[in-house]
Amino acid sequence: MSIDRAVFAFAGVMIIVSVLLTQFVHPMFVWFTVFIGANLLQSAFSGWCPAAKIFAKLGLPAGCAFDK
């Protein structure tokens, strides 16, 4: 699994977790979902993503998400 794919998977899991927390724990967890979305948006324009840096340090190979 490449860093790109790992970031997509991590973002998806975090969104699902934040929506579940909003639904079952407290409605203010919606701000966690907003934070995740804002981070995805800024990384699309800046190219900088904290999760990608962590996955790189864990040894995942770099790659393009659209390569097969």
Side-chain angles (χ1 to χ4, degrees), residues 3-18:
I3 291 174
D4 295 340
R5 299 268 183 197
V7 168
F8 289 154
F10 181 69
V13 167
M14 293 307 295
I15 289 170
I16 291 169
V17 166
S18 66

Side-chain angles (χ1 to χ4, degrees), residues 34-49:
V34 171
F35 170 76
I36 295 166
N39 190 45
L40 287 168
L41 187 61
Q42 74 80 24
S43 69
F45 290 103
S46 70
W48 184 80
C49 177

Side-chain angles (χ1 to χ4, degrees), residues 26-40:
H26 195 277
M28 292 302 285
F29 273 107
V30 72
W31 291 107
F32 186 42
T33 310
V34 171
F35 170 76
I36 295 166
N39 190 45
L40 287 168

Side-chain angles (χ1 to χ4, degrees), residues 41-67:
L41 187 61
Q42 74 80 24
S43 69
F45 290 103
S46 70
W48 184 80
C49 177
K53 299 292 183 189
I54 292 169
F55 289 134
K57 288 186 181 200
L58 291 174
L60 268 70
C64 180
F66 304 107
D67 287 345

